[in-house]
Amino acid sequence: MGVEGIGARVARKEDKRLLTGKGRYTDDMSVPGMKYAIFVRSPYAHAKIRSIDATAAKAMPGVIGVLDGKQLLADGIGNLICGWMIHSKDGSPMKMGAWRPLAHETVRYVGDAVAIVVADSVAEAKDAAEAVVVDYQELPVVTDATKALEQGQPQLHPEAPNNLIFDWQIGDPAATDKAIASAAHVTEITIHNNRLSPNPMEPRATLGIYDGGDEHYTCYTTSQNPHVARLVMSAFYNVAPENKLRVIAPDVGGGFGSKIYIYPEEIVCLWASKRTGVPVKWTSDRTEAFLTDAHGRDHLSKVKMAFDANNRIIGLKVDTVANLGAYMSLFSSAVPTYLYATLLSGQYDIPAIHANVRTVYTNTAPVDAYRGAGRPEATYLLERTMETAARELGVSPAELRRINFIRSFPHQTPVIMNYDAGDYDASLDAAMKAADWNGFAARKAEAAGRGMKRGIGMSCYIEACGIAPSAAVGSLGAGVGLWESAEVRVNAVGTIEVLTGSHSHGQGHETTFAQLVADRFGVPIDSVNIVHGDTDKVQMGMGTYGSRSGAVGMSAVVKALDKVEAKAKKIAAHLMEADESDIVIENGELKVAGTDKTVPWFQMALAAYTAHNLPPGMEPGLKEGAFYDPANFTFPAGCYICEVEVDPETGVTKIIQFVAADDFGNIINPMIVEGQVHGGLAQGIGQALLENVHYDPENGQLLTASYMDYAMPRADDLPSFKVSTSNTPCPNNPLGIKGCGEAGAIGSPPALINAITDAIGNNRLTMPATPQKVWAAAHAAN
Amino acid sequence: MYETQYHRASSIQDAVKLRQAAGEGKYLSGGMTLIPTMKQRLAAPTDLVDVRQISEMKGITVSGRTVRIGAATTHFEVASSAELAAVCPAIAGLASHIGDPHVRHMGTIGGSIANNDPAADYPSAMLALDATIVTDRREIAAGDFFTGLFETALEDGELVTAVTFEAPAKAAYQKFANPASRYAMTGVFVARRDNGDVRVAVTGAGSNGVFRHKGMEAALSAQWSPDALAGVTVDPSDLLSDIHADASYRANLVKVMAKRAVAAA
Ligand SMILES: Cc1cc2nc3c(=O)[nH]c(=O)nc-3n(C[C@H](O)[C@H](O)[C@H](O)COP(=O)(O)OP(=O)(O)OC[C@H]3O[C@@H](n4cnc5c(N)ncnc54)[C@H](O)[C@@H]3O)c2cc1C
């Protein structure tokens, strides 16, 4: 692997910049004449807009313009859309209500934007925003998805009667019902997956610049996928044609999914820049982020899992209601369907599965993908059900899982997915050993002596990454293909630029992508630069989410490297008068195998550009591009074990140990992978113990709109993690990579909740398992 | 933040004069509560009178068992005073768990008690220690000072200059932190005098702010031990319910924290 090649623990190249405050984020961008925007937002969760009067605001000091939704409509700016078509089981298409970037008729959640104020300073813009008089007629509110489906509830969109967006199913209902009817045992459980706020460290921001000379727009934005942003803004929102719109996502301080989507603010700032004639910058404050960043999760599911007399699962039936908030965000429909229900087979050989999913409008912020996106929901549901079943059946949780593990690959599940490789026993064994599972009884007894309740819980997760074969996702309703692009440019003196359509916002691409090149050509990673995040530099790409940058993005780089390598060898062979097939590349040199003839890498590159002595007919230069379309999803899997101690007097849960044993396929940089797991675990533990978006059900006000009330995990909430991997390479991509970005957040919540319910001897517990809930459950009968 | 005028007071009289001259003025101490409130445009004082540079309002003096803490003394200074720790480690320990290091180096005891946030830590100490709140014009017993949620006996323009109290024989504070804000979801300060009198003050839990629990005081006066609290009931009807914890859970916490405080004292 070499010290900087594949598998090396290379320190992150980007950290010097990011850790010394030299990162360049959207809010750091400044252009001549730039002005500041503040959005006027609805204080009501549901209301009709009778009128908007900006007369006083426009007259305030420093104000350049106040624009509203009627003007936006008049200028032909389109609705925000959901880009993944789902059909209900009756064949009808999903019922998408209109989402205007600036509402001009109805507001549907607290924070819905109704106007933009552009002024010389943020303070002046805020003053003027307060002076914009919006006359609202309040309407009744519904925030709970199950309730929103009932008769007589407030209706959000005329397109969606009873607030139902779609009623979708997957799997075989008849076979599943039959299995349940014939079962020796059926475990039934209701599973609630709590709503989360994404909380990236950097809040969203955008800078819209209109150049009247060229009729050209530039959009700096906090995006995980600038090309998708450009595509959508051109094709659907009618902002500008693609050749007149450059989107730049510079350093981005975390996304976790919430920065995949195109939000109203980018569109409105670009449009406002043209309308006002000045560049317009907007930066979200933290409360705006809580109010308007797309939330995650919010599922309620009823589950039946059927077992035969040998404790083999014979059927699984799931009925889920998913809250999508007030509007359908860009990928919202895919999350509770193809990213969720297709994973309901877990690591188990289940012959019959049926899942029904209803998605619902409510007067809350839009809900879309958040770290894991559907897979945490599937894993939490399955792994809590498995643990509950083990307790009901009187089998050890490990044993019940082993009885049902899939052991031969490829494995076709009843819910679309075809697992290509895995070794679930290996992860389970590794985790149990690392956790000293067998010594638990003694530790529990010792804790009991101190009046503490100790518990242990596990979770065997599987997820699907590397999203995904374009034809497959197209057939399932995706509006885009999910391939990735790469371009490798060897400069005349041999340094290398790799352009990728994926986007790094914490994942460390500047290091890991460079490691691929170092590994291939033996050049130092310092001679390799990774270029991403700018539609003027990288032609097209699909961005970063769903742990796809390794499996898909790097595969594209490998394809481009193959082409560069082939041409470099041809040039070297020509220079050394050798046969192309005898050339090997090692330590930055091209050698003729078995001889002492070599050409340094830089000399070969120079030869490509001087073009004085190239093979006949060869084009000068050394630059190759590739598009890679994945052959399948990848299937990372693993086993997580959590051990806790509950204080029965207060209900406080202390995590004693947390073990993560993952199978990520081949690993490029183990240090970065561990960092991804640590971060994912922190988020999963946050979901399980602390985090919850809380709306007042009466009026739709967000009660957790700051860190005073929204509990984020902190360092002292977390133990020191024990992480390890036992890897089976993915057979479907050139590097054998599966993906690691979301696993921690997917696998950890059920392990933790299973540990708490084990400790307190009561299975009725919902996330977040706050001290109050744990205390109440510990003192209630199961 | 709306526009405001900043003044730095050099003495107590100067501060009171500046404040009187101002329209809708406010004293500014550590600013850890006031500045964020202003940034969110929830407060709009025309003038800020900064009292942190007034030397008479700063520092800790201990003479015998009598303690005086200037109102502009930071939480960090209270937490790290060896003199104070020698006679009343409980209050130093309380201060060491307020917020984070930034907050402790800026926030002050005077600002905290004048603000009387129902989840703040200091009010419970003041009440349990039977402290006296000294102002520019009078002395107020802690029992009369805290009058409700964010409400005190302070008159308009009245400036807290110091707090004084007699160090107790034994005391301890136990805080159950709100998982989000890390303010007190329930905090109990217990103090026992040489003569056996006991005070138990509870913060974070009361629907009307900090309060004394007479039942626990009686039980502990009779017998100073955690077990003495076993038979005492805490009535949830006067306690707060919010998205973090309901009244019945807080009632439980009041008792558990009190027991633990007695054990720690
Ligand atoms: C992140 C964070 C965490 C915190 N955690 C905790 C915690 O765990 N526990 C806790 O108890 N507190 C906590 N606080 C609050 C902190 O202790 C504040 O310092 C305190 O509440 C106010 O003190 P201050 O000196 O900053 O007052 P300021 O913010 O300056 O003033 C607060 C109010 O008191 C008035 N005032 C100030 N001084 C005087 C005076 N001498 N006389 C009369 N009126 C005066 C002001 O006009 C204002 O209305 C936290 C604060 C932050 C920002």
Side-chain angles (χ1 to χ4, degrees):
Chain A
M1 68 180 177
V3 287
E4 294 184 332
I6 292 173
R9 288 180 174 267
V10 181
R12 296 184 3 141
K13 287 177 72 177
E14 46 271 77
D15 280 350
K16 182 179 171 204
R17 175 174 91 249
L18 299 176
L19 295 178
T20 58
K22 303 239 164 38
R24 280 160 54 79
Y25 298 89
T26 297
D27 189 53
D28 294 323
M29 300 301 159
S30 187
V31 293
M34 185 178 82
K35 306 295 178 187
Y36 300 88
I38 287 292
F39 283 83
V40 177
R41 298 186 183 280
S42 171
Y44 301 111
H46 200 189
K48 285 250 170 272
I49 301 172
R50 287 205 195 93
S51 65
I52 300 176
D53 182 358
T55 320
K58 282 178 182 159
M60 301 212 14
V63 173
I64 289 159
V66 181
L67 303 168
D68 67 22
K70 282 193 180 146
Q71 291 162 302
L72 188 87
L73 190 69
D75 284 356
I77 302 294
N79 293 342
L80 285 98
I81 54 137
C82 174
W84 196 302
M85 173 52 73
I86 298 290
H87 287 87
S88 286
K89 56 192 177 198
D90 67 7
S92 63
M94 64 190 189
K95 313 275 192 300
M96 183 159 44
W99 184 3
R100 295 298 305 160
L102 292 174
H104 62 280
E105 288 173 331
T106 307
V107 289
R108 295 184 176 86
Y109 72 105
V110 174
D112 215 348
V114 297
I116 181 175
V117 178
V118 180
D120 287 338
S121 69
V122 172
E124 286 165 316
K126 279 191 182 170
D127 288 343
E130 285 178 3
V132 175
V133 182
V134 185
D135 184 9
Y136 293 103
Q137 179 196 339
E138 275 190 79
L139 297 171
V141 165
V142 63
T143 61
D144 179 82
T146 308
K147 194 170 165 207
L149 288 172
E150 291 167 6
Q151 288 297 315
Q153 289 299 317
Q155 300 291 298
L156 269 81
H157 295 276
E159 297 85 352
N162 294 320
N163 301 311
L164 180 67
I165 301 170
F166 56 76
D167 183 352
W168 172 90
Q169 67 175 1
I170 191 169
D172 187 337
T176 308
D177 289 343
K178 209 172 130 209
I180 290 169
S182 72
H185 178 83
V186 178
T187 291
E188 293 190 41
I189 185 168
T190 299
I191 294 286
H192 177 231
N193 207 291
N194 45 325
R195 180 187 273 243
L196 304 175
S197 174
N199 285 298
M201 204 181 284
E202 179 206 23
R204 290 191 294 117
T206 187
L207 165 58
I209 306 164
Y210 178 69
D211 175 345
D214 290 336
E215 292 173 16
H216 180 276
Y217 294 83
T218 303
C219 172
Y220 285 92
T221 179
T222 48
S223 175
Q224 299 178 213
N225 41 210
H227 294 87
V228 177
R230 181 174 71 162
L231 171 70
V232 177
M233 286 198 281
S234 296
F236 300 104
Y237 307 156
N238 208 17
V239 175
E242 275 177 299
N243 64 325
K244 294 289 184 187
L245 174 58
R246 176 183 185 187
V247 179
I248 304 170
D251 279 330
V252 174
F256 311 116
S258 70
K259 293 173 181 168
I260 298 172
Y261 330 115
I262 320 312
Y263 289 86
E265 290 85 359
E266 286 102 320
I267 303 165
V268 174
C269 285
L270 285 167
W271 166 75
S273 176
K274 182 176 185 188
R275 272 274 193 158
T276 58
V278 295
V280 175
K281 180 154 89 180
W282 168 79
T283 302
S284 168
D285 69 22
R286 192 52 74 177
T287 287
E288 273 182 304
F290 276 112
L291 288 170
T292 66
D293 288 3
H295 292 166
R297 323 281 194 253
D298 205 345
H299 282 200
L300 188 70
S301 302
K302 292 198 163 42
V303 187
K304 284 185 189 170
M305 189 182 269
F307 293 86
D308 70 11
N310 300 319
N311 296 333
R312 289 196 61 96
I313 309 168
I314 53 173
L316 174 70
K317 197 168 182 70
V318 175
D319 183 16
T320 296
V321 174
N323 191 341
L324 292 192
Y327 301 104
M328 290 188 79
S329 175
L330 193 61
F331 288 118
S332 56
S333 58
V335 178
T337 52
Y338 292 112
L339 298 178
Y340 161 69
T342 54
L343 272 303
L344 284 171
S345 196
Q347 299 187 351
Y348 314 114
D349 186 357
I350 305 180
I353 298 177
H354 176 235
N356 196 93
V357 178
R358 285 170 292 166
T359 53
V360 186
Y361 281 124
T362 62
N363 296 112
T364 62
V367 177
D368 206 323
Y370 168 70
R371 202 169 191 169
R375 293 152 288 161
E377 293 89 322
T379 301
Y380 181 65
L381 180 153
L382 261 184
E383 291 305 292
R384 279 209 65 188
T385 307
M386 285 300 277
E387 201 85 4
T388 306
R391 290 170 196 171
E392 289 175 358
L393 295 166
V395 208
S396 88
E399 186 55 27
L400 187 64
R401 286 170 170 94
R402 281 191 211 279
I403 291 171
N404 290 285
F405 273 162
I406 295 162
R407 291 198 177 79
S408 81
F409 296 91
H411 174 88
Q412 179 62 52
T413 72
V415 280
I416 297 180
M417 291 302 185
N418 189 285
Y419 300 167
D420 53 8
D423 183 347
Y424 308 138
D425 290 288
S427 298
L428 179 61
D429 290 342
M432 288 177 76
K433 187 153 177 277
D436 184 21
W437 184 276
N438 295 333
F440 173 72
R443 298 194 294 276
K444 187 178 173 75
E446 184 278 329
R450 290 182 281 110
M452 303 301 263
K453 290 176 183 283
R454 232 185 226 240
I456 194 162
M458 66 168 55
S459 144
C460 296
Y461 77 90
I462 188 162
E463 61 140 333
C465 292
I467 178 166
S470 297
V473 296
S475 74
L476 301 178
V480 290
L482 289 170
W483 45 266
E484 198 44 85
S485 79
E487 191 176 309
V488 175
R489 298 181 184 162
V490 181
N491 296 319
V493 288
T495 59
I496 297 170
E497 275 134 25
V498 177
L499 286 73
T500 170
S502 63
H503 184 275
S504 186
H505 35 277
Q507 295 87 347
H509 294 180
E510 288 169 47
T511 308
T512 49
F513 281 51
Q515 283 181 256
L516 298 184
V517 182
D519 195 81
R520 180 70 73 103
F521 300 137
V523 296
I525 61 167
D526 279 343
S527 69
V528 183
N529 269 24
I530 307 303
V531 178
H532 68 94
D534 183 341
T535 58
D536 263 12
K537 292 181 180 165
V538 179
Q539 186 231 337
M540 187 58 181
M542 299 312 296
T544 289
Y545 37 83
S547 306
R548 67 189 299 276
S549 297
V552 189
M554 282 185 171
S555 296
V557 174
V558 167
K559 271 184 82 174
L561 287 174
D562 288 344
K563 297 182 192 175
V564 168
E565 180 180 334
K567 187 168 179 184
K569 281 181 171 171
K570 279 199 175 80
I571 297 170
H574 181 74
L575 292 176
M576 293 186 281
E577 294 173 348
D579 194 277
E580 193 188 318
S581 61
D582 289 336
I583 306 291
V584 291
I585 306 181
E586 274 172 21
N587 299 326
E589 291 182 327
L590 299 105
K591 302 179 182 170
V592 182
T595 73
D596 57 3
K597 283 201 215 167
T598 70
V599 175
W601 176 261
F602 80 88
Q603 206 173 318
M604 177 282 304
L606 198 59
Y609 286 92
T610 58
H612 295 162
N613 183 19
L614 290 176
M618 179 183 272
E619 283 180 18
L622 189 50
K623 179 183 93 167
E624 300 288 349
F627 286 76
Y628 173 81
D629 198 26
N632 191 358
F633 286 85
T634 64
F635 297 98
C639 176
Y640 291 179
I641 293 176
C642 179
E643 188 168 331
V644 299
E645 226 169 74
V646 172
D647 178 344
E649 285 192 326
T650 60
V652 168
T653 299
K654 183 167 185 256
I655 302 175
I656 304 294
Q657 62 163 340
F658 204 107
V659 169
D662 292 292
D663 176 354
F664 292 141
N666 291 336
I667 286 174
I668 307 299
N669 184 325
M671 183 197 69
I672 286 180
V673 167
E674 283 163 19
Q676 290 287 313
V677 175
H678 285 206
L681 292 176
Q683 272 172 291
I685 290 168
Q687 164 161 35
L689 283 186
L690 296 157
E691 297 183 47
N692 196 38
V693 171
H694 201 115
Y695 281 98
D696 186 325
E698 300 299 315
N699 56 25
Q701 293 297 323
L702 181 61
L703 301 179
T704 47
S706 84
Y707 292 127
M708 290 295 282
D709 292 303
Y710 190 88
M712 288 289 282
R714 303 181 206 200
D716 66 352
D717 291 315
L718 306 169
S720 191
F721 302 122
K722 293 184 198 164
V723 304
S724 67
T725 55
S726 44
N727 298 313
T728 59
C730 172
N732 279 311
N733 60 54
L735 291 164
I737 289 182
K738 292 184 179 175
C740 66
E742 297 155 292
I746 292 169
S748 55
L752 179 45
I753 299 298
N754 287 341
I756 300 174
T757 55
D758 179 52
I760 62 177
N762 185 345
N763 203 37
R764 292 214 189 88
L765 188 66
T766 57
M767 297 192 291
T770 59
Q772 149 131 30
K773 283 195 213 161
V774 174
W775 173 78
H779 294 273
N782 194 352
Chain B
M1 194 182 287
Y2 298 103
E3 222 168 79
T4 189
Q5 285 280 330
Y6 173 85
H7 312 269
R8 180 176 286 179
S10 55
S11 68
I12 292 171
Q13 290 94 314
D14 186 33
V16 175
K17 223 171 74 203
L18 284 165
R19 172 75 170 76
Q20 265 162 8
E24 291 286 313
K26 267 195 175 294
Y27 293 119
L28 173 69
S29 195
M32 291 293 94
T33 295
L34 185 51
I35 300 291
T37 315
M38 290 172 67
K39 279 184 172 171
Q40 289 182 297
R41 300 186 157 220
L42 298 171
T46 55
D47 295 76
L48 289 179
V49 179
D50 187 346
V51 299
R52 278 174 308 172
Q53 312 300 324
I54 301 173
S55 53
E56 313 146 74
M57 281 177 60
K58 287 165 73 91
I60 299 163
T61 48
V62 179
S63 38
R65 297 193 66 78
T66 306
V67 177
R68 181 184 187 282
I69 306 176
T73 308
T74 64
H75 308 329
F76 172 76
E77 288 164 330
V78 172
S80 56
S81 160
E83 261 187 308
L84 186 57
V87 295
C88 189
I91 195 167
L94 173 150
S96 75
H97 286 106
I98 296 176
D100 51 47
H102 299 81
V103 170
R104 291 196 288 275
H105 277 86
M106 291 296 288
T108 65
I109 188 167
S112 176
I113 63 173
N115 193 49
N116 193 20
D117 187 314
D121 297 299
Y122 271 130
S124 65
M126 296 297 101
L127 206 51
L129 294 169
D130 194 14
T132 300
I133 316 300
V134 184
T135 76
D136 63 300
R137 58 198 74 164
R138 57 179 169 150
E139 296 193 343
I140 310 170
D144 300 326
F145 184 83
F146 302 106
T147 54
L149 305 177
F150 300 100
E151 299 277 345
T152 66
L154 290 172
E155 293 163 0
D156 188 40
E158 189 169 7
L159 176 67
V160 177
T161 57
V163 304
T164 64
F165 59 88
E166 291 296 310
K170 282 176 181 298
Y173 178 64
Q174 286 286 313
K175 173 177 183 173
F176 190 94
N178 177 310
S181 70
R182 302 244 171 137
Y183 274 68
M185 197 147 90
T186 292
V188 179
F189 201 108
V190 298
R192 183 171 187 258
R193 303 256 147 230
D194 292 319
N195 66 7
D197 279 0
V198 173
R199 280 193 172 207
V200 177
V202 180
T203 189
S207 47
N208 203 29
V210 64
F211 68 93
R212 284 170 63 188
H213 198 282
K214 298 286 165 64
M216 293 202 277
E217 290 182 357
L220 290 169
S221 299
Q223 185 203 341
W224 178 256
S225 98
D227 297 340
L229 295 173
V232 181
T233 53
V234 177
D235 181 2
S237 58
D238 295 333
L239 301 186
L240 275 173
S241 280
D242 57 27
I243 60 170
H244 302 289
D246 68 17
S248 65
Y249 178 63
R250 278 192 165 92
N252 171 64
L253 285 182
V254 169
K255 198 159 149 181
V256 174
M257 292 300 114
K259 260 172 42 185
R260 293 182 181 181
V262 173

